[in-house]
Amino acid sequence: MYPPNGANLKALVQFIGNAHSPERYFLVGSNPAETKYRVLKIDRTEPKDLVIIDDKHVYTQQEVRELLGRLDLGNRTKIGQKGSSGLSRAVSAFGVVGFVRFLEGYYIVLITKRRKMADIGGHAIYKIEDTNMIYIPNDSVRVTHPDEARYLRIFQNVDLSSNFYFSYSYDLSHSLQYNLTVLRMPLEILKTETTQARQESFDIFEEEGLSTQGGSGVFGICSKPYEKYVWNAKLLEVVKTTVHRDWLLYIIHGFCGQSKLLIYGRPIYVTLIARRSSKFAGTRFLKRGANCEGDVANEVETEQILYDASVMSFSAGSYSSYVQVRGSVPLYWSQDISTMMPKPPITLDQADPFAHVAALHFDQMLQRFGSPIIILNLVKEREKRKHERILSEELVAAVTYLNQFLPPEHAIIYIPWDMAKYTKSKLCNVLDRLNVIAESVVKKTGFFVNRPDSYCSILRPDEKWNELGGYVVSTGRLQTGVLRTNCVDCLDRTNTAQFMVGKCALAYQLYSLGLIDKPNLQFDTDAVRLFEELYEDHGDTLSLQYGGSQLVHRVKTYRKIAPWTQHSKDIMQTLSRYYSNAFSDADRQDSINLFLGVFKPTEGKPHLWELPTDFYLHHKNTLSLLQTRRSYTYWWTTGVLKHLPLPFDEVTCAENRRKLTVKKFHKCEEEIDIHNEFFRPYELSSFDETFCLAMTNSTRDFMPKNVGIDPSPFTVRKPDETGKSVLGNKSNREETVLQRKTAASAPPPPSEEAVSSSSEDDSGTDKEEEGAVSQRSTPVKVTDTGDNTKITENVVQSTKDVYGVNLSDVPSEDDLTIYTSWK
């Protein structure tokens, strides 16, 4: 189980059963090259207990064939009978999601189909496309229960093929800054660490590890995952201390998209990763505010990663990232949906004069992000009838109380801005105001980059660059602090605000890598269009997951350039959201509670569907008294304040070192051979199926096809001057490009369900609340001329030029997954 690049054996898993003696299953895992194997033996004679034996031995291909041959021979009904096989392959898979039990025996959940969605420094990120649940106990010992089938249906309502992601060698639960900070841990500390076989995360970094003095070895570092963003932690809990850590595959839920920005042929990969919190998770009206542990509803950490793909090594390449967070207002509040109103009244459920729950929430943020914590509150400030303003008043009181105990330089920054009010005004430009806020935020937090400032910033100094905050180290810059954006639902308004902050940070990231001469990006450039498409896919996906429909208000809506047809689409999305909230959210909430282990079925106790509410499941202090009481004044965790503005999770201390496992390798070992893992010379591949050629490309998909056009992705184009076809597609190949919502990296295979159906929608206010105005832009006429689509815009004075869109270079719909088949 030690494949190249630190990838787990789970790159290919064979689930083998005994055909004639139903006593055990054998789980055989291999690395991608099929040179190293591990074997798990699963007992099938226990009706309710899970018995797994892992011998911790690494087999060669020849050894595993001999082992399976002996097992096959020993289990034949008659020795020498050719037509009777003792072993039969049950399923081939790409990883183990986990084990789950309801009222009968255990099931194993396997990933049977995957698709590559992104690549970060040679580490592949996959989306789960299909799974298989297999019941482990055999029929002779099975104790049936009448409610087992219903629990199984509820569990399977969580569609694992809908926006769940994993990586064999990259820790998706942590930010790039954390992963690379761990990677640069001083060599002396690594030498003192013992290589204990602790059940931590997966092996993560390979050749980028630090060389020993003799130059003959490298250190591999394995970090403990951040469980807040791991969705199968409970499913793996039962085997975590039993099996080798390489069997443990942690998955996240949210969004992952990647696009290629070509700057005069230089490939720059723009990646967007959204991690949805598994704590206090649920649907729109059923999960509001925070629980007793400071976890808030709809909490999502969004990270944008930018790197030069021409050099993929973490140590030699150029990498940059910026992180921001969205989440419900950290108070005890809810909305009663029993009244069947489109906007149920907001109710404060508990008085919290000492801001206890807000203190827990911001303490978590200080540990993970450092200071300053900046709150951008977009809820309404002026209303005829007090509704959203209730939350603003309570949040201001909580922040004011907490700040009086913090040092002034690390105080929580609160920025209230009534976005809906500005949207209604014809005199105010919403995005201009957001751009001002974004500039001030990025200057305070800075961003992460793993290389020192470019020499061009010294030759051509920029005033904005000199004012940039963050933490400067010899190897680059660190982001300290984070922006936390919220409206009521943290959907439409929040996504637009996050896009504007991300756009501002993207300009600084490009400038830090020496790709632009000033940290500014303008709308209607290929780079911003590409980034806007990524953020719309990101917003649609998160909105569907929480609210039940896609975004109602988009960036184009606030720019007031959306087509007139968008108004009717907004109405349909609002109706879809209302229907989902009224009729399907309760079932979805039950499924999430069961999948995450919040509710565990127990014989003799009420069933999940019999509970009047899940309030007691998410608020543990209602079932038992907490043993410790936190201080009302020193509300932060011990040690956090001492290291600010740096996040406590990233400083080098004994507590954080206990979360790491360090292992020393010889530099020639296969496991740290990143070349073989990334380029896979042992496989037959073609350019048509190469991931880097199939992902969204700024030159192919956004740059105009006219002769003489400036190829720079930073040149401002006319609104109709784009290579991205948005109307009138006839062929399947063209529809693939248009329907790629949540799969910005590659078109889906023809046999697979469109990924766009799995994205989720969310926005908290109706048209009047958001202040949407009717977007009546110029009508569009489409003329179909065979392979080319001509888009003609009728403007007030006359018809403008017709631009032909050549779609001959649209990528094929073939399955982009590359994997080794079972020999």
Side-chain angles (χ1 to χ4, degrees):
M1 207 168 335
Y2 293 98
N5 197 24
N8 291 9
L9 255 166
K10 301 175 292 295
L12 186 65
V13 173
Q14 298 292 330
F15 198 65
I16 300 176
N18 191 328
H20 297 279
S21 178
E23 296 179 356
R24 63 187 64 88
Y25 277 130
F26 295 94
L27 198 61
V28 182
S30 75
N31 61 355
E34 295 189 24
T35 57
K36 295 186 178 180
Y37 295 79
R38 285 187 183 272
V39 179
L40 289 182
K41 184 171 72 173
I42 305 176
D43 189 3
R44 301 187 63 198
T45 60
E46 291 290 338
K48 292 190 177 183
D49 294 329
L50 183 64
V51 179
I52 294 182
I53 299 175
D54 182 5
D55 59 9
K56 304 293 196 306
H57 180 68
V58 180
Y59 296 88
T60 64
Q61 188 178 74
Q62 182 64 28
E63 289 173 342
V64 80
R65 284 179 177 177
E66 292 175 357
L67 173 65
L68 295 178
R70 290 195 300 270
L71 292 172
D72 178 70
L73 184 63
N75 285 284
R76 290 179 187 270
T77 53
K78 293 180 180 179
I79 301 298
Q81 184 177 342
K82 295 183 179 179
S84 176
S85 174
L87 293 179
S88 61
R89 187 175 66 197
V91 65
S92 296
F94 294 105
V96 181
V97 175
F99 299 83
V100 63
R101 176 182 175 270
F102 308 121
L103 296 172
E104 296 181 8
Y106 275 91
Y107 298 83
I108 182 173
V109 186
L110 298 170
I111 300 170
T112 57
K113 202 171 187 179
R114 68 183 184 186
R115 179 151 58 94
K116 189 173 180 179
M117 297 297 294
D119 188 280
I120 301 177
H123 300 268
I125 299 174
Y126 297 97
K127 175 181 179 290
I128 298 176
E129 289 287 295
D130 199 9
T131 57
N132 193 2
M133 284 186 70
I134 298 177
Y135 188 67
I136 293 177
N138 60 53
D139 294 337
S140 62
V141 300
R142 182 169 187 171
V143 180
T144 60
H145 194 284
D147 294 313
E148 178 75 7
R150 185 167 182 179
Y151 275 116
L152 182 60
R153 285 196 302 271
I154 294 174
F155 182 87
Q156 292 178 331
N157 277 343
V158 175
D159 186 5
L160 283 170
S161 65
S162 175
N163 308 114
F164 284 88
Y165 305 91
F166 68 94
S167 175
Y168 298 119
S169 54
Y170 183 81
D171 190 348
L172 286 172
S173 67
H174 284 292
S175 66
L176 180 71
Q177 175 172 312
Y178 177 90
N179 288 334
L180 296 194
T181 301
V182 167
L183 186 64
R184 295 185 182 277
M185 185 177 293
L187 182 60
E188 292 73 22
I189 296 178
L190 293 180
K191 286 183 176 180
T192 60
E193 294 292 327
T194 58
T195 58
Q196 302 174 358
R198 295 163 55 190
Q199 304 304 312
E200 300 280 354
S201 165
F202 31 77
D203 295 333
I204 172 169
F205 294 114
E206 62 307 309
E207 64 164 1
E208 292 90 16
L210 300 172
S211 301
T212 58
Q213 289 180 345
S216 61
V218 294
F219 287 108
I221 303 176
C222 163
S223 62
K224 183 178 180 181
Y226 192 65
E227 288 201 0
K228 186 174 189 176
Y229 298 114
V230 174
W231 276 63
N232 63 333
K234 292 292 183 181
L235 301 180
L236 293 173
E237 196 172 47
V238 67
V239 297
K240 194 173 181 180
T241 57
T242 307
V243 302
H244 191 275
R245 66 171 178 269
D246 284 345
W247 287 106
L248 306 178
L249 184 66
Y250 296 98
I251 63 175
I252 67 166
H253 184 39
F255 173 80
C256 179
Q258 188 173 62
S259 297
K260 184 192 300 181
L261 182 65
L262 279 176
I263 305 176
Y264 295 104
R266 187 176 180 182
I268 305 299
Y269 284 7
V270 182
T271 311
L272 205 60
I273 299 176
R275 309 173 183 92
R276 179 174 291 280
S277 173
S278 62
K279 309 294 184 183
F280 203 50
T283 54
R284 183 184 176 198
F285 284 127
L286 298 180
K287 284 293 162 283
R288 297 294 211 188
N291 64 6
C292 64
E293 297 178 337
D295 302 308
V296 298
N298 195 24
E299 183 173 8
V300 182
E301 178 181 300
T302 299
E303 180 180 21
Q304 61 188 58
I305 300 174
L306 188 79
Y307 76 95
D308 187 346
S310 57
V311 182
M312 63 183 180
S313 168
F314 278 134
S315 57
S318 301
Y319 291 80
S320 177
S321 72
Y322 184 76
V323 177
Q324 46 186 323
V325 176
R326 67 172 69 182
S328 189
V329 179
L331 305 168
Y332 289 120
W333 65 280
S334 63
Q335 288 180 279
D336 183 10
I337 59 173
S338 62
T339 56
M340 295 294 289
M341 297 173 60
K343 287 177 23 178
I346 293 174
T347 305
L348 294 175
D349 299 327
Q350 296 183 36
D352 193 7
F354 300 105
H356 174 70
V357 66
L360 291 171
H361 177 68
F362 291 122
D363 181 34
Q364 291 179 13
M365 298 190 73
L366 287 174
Q367 289 186 59
R368 184 162 172 85
F369 304 109
S371 69
I373 302 298
I374 305 173
I375 302 172
L376 177 57
N377 185 19
L378 302 176
V379 305
K380 296 179 180 178
E381 301 289 340
R382 295 184 180 180
E383 298 173 298
K384 294 181 181 178
R385 178 175 56 87
K386 186 185 290 189
H387 181 64
E388 295 183 12
R389 186 154 52 96
I390 297 173
L391 300 178
S392 289
E393 293 173 353
E394 290 295 319
L395 182 58
V396 169
V399 172
T400 304
Y401 173 82
L402 297 176
N403 271 342
Q404 61 184 325
F405 307 111
L406 282 175
E409 63 272 20
H410 302 308
I412 300 170
I413 301 173
Y414 178 78
I415 305 175
W417 188 57
D418 190 341
M419 189 169 173
K421 173 190 171 185
Y422 273 78
T423 304
K424 293 178 181 179
S425 173
K426 296 181 179 180
L427 302 177
C428 300
N429 188 313
V430 174
L431 298 189
D432 283 351
R433 174 59 179 161
L434 279 175
N435 191 60
V436 173
I437 295 174
E439 286 283 353
S440 65
V441 166
V442 175
K443 285 181 180 179
K444 287 183 175 67
T445 63
F447 62 95
F448 169 73
V449 62
N450 73 331
R451 53 176 283 178
D453 292 349
S454 300
Y455 189 62
C456 63
S457 63
I458 302 175
L459 291 176
R460 300 187 298 272
D462 186 90
E463 183 179 341
K464 290 167 58 177
W465 182 259
N466 296 330
E467 299 173 357
L468 191 64
Y471 195 81
V472 181
V473 294
S474 59
T475 56
R477 291 176 174 268
L478 300 178
Q479 178 181 345
T480 56
V482 73
L483 172 68
R484 185 195 190 280
T485 309
N486 73 267
C487 49
V488 175
D489 298 303
C490 305
L491 297 177
D492 297 358
R493 288 173 283 182
T494 297
N495 198 70
T496 300
Q498 284 194 330
F499 164 75
M500 290 301 297
V501 176
K503 171 178 166 289
C504 177
L506 181 66
Y508 281 98
Q509 290 175 285
L510 290 166
Y511 181 80
S512 70
L513 301 184
L515 300 172
I516 54 177
D517 58 353
K518 289 190 178 296
N520 282 320
L521 286 177
Q522 297 183 9
F523 278 105
D524 298 321
T525 60
D526 297 342
V528 174
R529 281 172 174 165
L530 178 145
F531 189 64
E532 182 181 336
E533 183 181 85
L534 268 179
Y535 247 97
E536 284 207 354
D537 294 345
H538 160 269
D540 283 339
T541 303
L542 298 180
S543 186
L544 273 168
Q545 291 166 3
Y546 184 63
S549 71
Q550 294 183 346
L551 291 173
V552 175
H553 302 293
R554 304 173 181 273
V555 176
K556 288 183 175 62
T557 306
Y558 292 104
R559 289 185 69 192
K560 302 184 179 179
I561 62 169
W564 62 273
T565 54
Q566 186 65 41
H567 188 66
S568 59
K569 292 180 181 179
D570 291 350
I571 295 175
M572 293 305 298
Q573 295 296 349
T574 303
L575 294 175
S576 173
R577 185 174 297 176
Y578 177 75
Y579 175 84
S580 175
N581 299 155
F583 301 105
S584 63
D585 276 7
D587 293 335
R588 289 172 56 207
Q589 185 66 58
D590 286 345
S591 301
I592 292 172
N593 289 341
L594 187 62
F595 183 87
L596 293 176
V598 177
F599 176 86
K600 294 181 180 179
T602 306
E603 191 71 43
K605 291 188 178 181
H607 294 299
L608 178 61
W609 51 87
E610 295 175 348
L611 299 178
T613 177
D614 65 351
F615 179 86
Y616 306 102
L617 301 177
H618 291 273
H619 294 78
K620 297 179 181 179
N621 61 348
T622 59
L623 299 177
S624 61
L625 293 176
L626 299 179
Q627 298 299 320
T628 57
R629 176 175 292 181
R630 293 175 66 99
S631 170
Y632 290 141
T633 55
Y634 297 99
W635 50 267
W636 50 85
T637 301
T638 305
V640 170
L641 214 59
K642 180 174 65 175
H643 298 285
L644 291 179
L646 291 175
F648 179 76
D649 288 351
E650 295 176 14
V651 299
T652 303
C653 62
E655 182 177 342
N656 288 336
R657 286 204 299 270
R658 284 195 293 269
K659 301 176 183 177
L660 304 176
T661 299
V662 181
K663 187 172 182 178
K664 184 179 177 181
F665 300 94
H666 190 274
K667 64 179 181 180
C668 296
E669 285 190 51
E670 180 192 30
E671 186 173 359
I672 58 172
D673 187 353
I674 190 173
H675 177 274
N676 279 352
E677 166 63 14
F678 186 77
F679 293 102
R680 302 195 176 212
Y682 46 82
E683 288 184 1
L684 177 64
S685 58
S686 65
F687 283 119
D688 292 337
E689 297 178 345
T690 303
F691 172 74
C692 62
L693 297 179
M695 71 169 68
T696 300
N697 184 310
S698 64
T699 300
R700 182 185 63 217
D701 298 325
F702 293 92
M703 192 179 78
K705 301 300 184 289
N706 298 39
V707 177
I709 289 292
D710 183 357
S712 171
F714 309 113
T715 300
V716 177
R717 318 278 189 200
K718 297 178 182 178
D720 55 352
E721 196 177 41
T722 176
K724 186 74 172 177
S725 176
V726 293
L727 295 169
N729 294 274
K730 299 296 181 183
S731 69
N732 291 335
R733 293 164 66 87
E734 296 167 14
E735 289 176 1
T736 302
V737 179
L738 294 181
Q739 296 173 358
R740 191 170 24 185
K741 280 292 180 199
T742 76
S745 59
S751 63
E752 297 171 0
E753 184 179 352
V755 184
S756 59
S757 63
S758 64
S759 25
E760 304 211 6
D761 193 88
D762 132 70
S763 147
T765 52
D766 58 7
K767 290 288 171 290
E768 182 181 357
E769 289 295 327
E770 294 283 0
V773 292
S774 177
Q775 307 303 324
R776 298 189 178 275
S777 65
T778 56
V780 177
K781 179 182 178 182
V782 180
T783 306
D784 185 11
T785 59
D787 292 336
N788 294 334
T789 300
K790 295 184 178 180
I791 302 178
T792 306
E793 282 205 357
N794 300 325
V795 206
V796 177
Q797 52 270 52
S798 62
T799 304
K800 287 191 173 181
D801 296 337
V802 177
Y803 297 90
V805 181
N806 187 1
L807 292 172
S808 61
D809 55 352
V810 174
S812 67
E813 295 179 289
D814 296 335
D815 191 349
L816 299 173
T817 303
I818 301 175
Y819 58 91
T820 55
S821 59
W822 176 254
K823 303 284 191 301

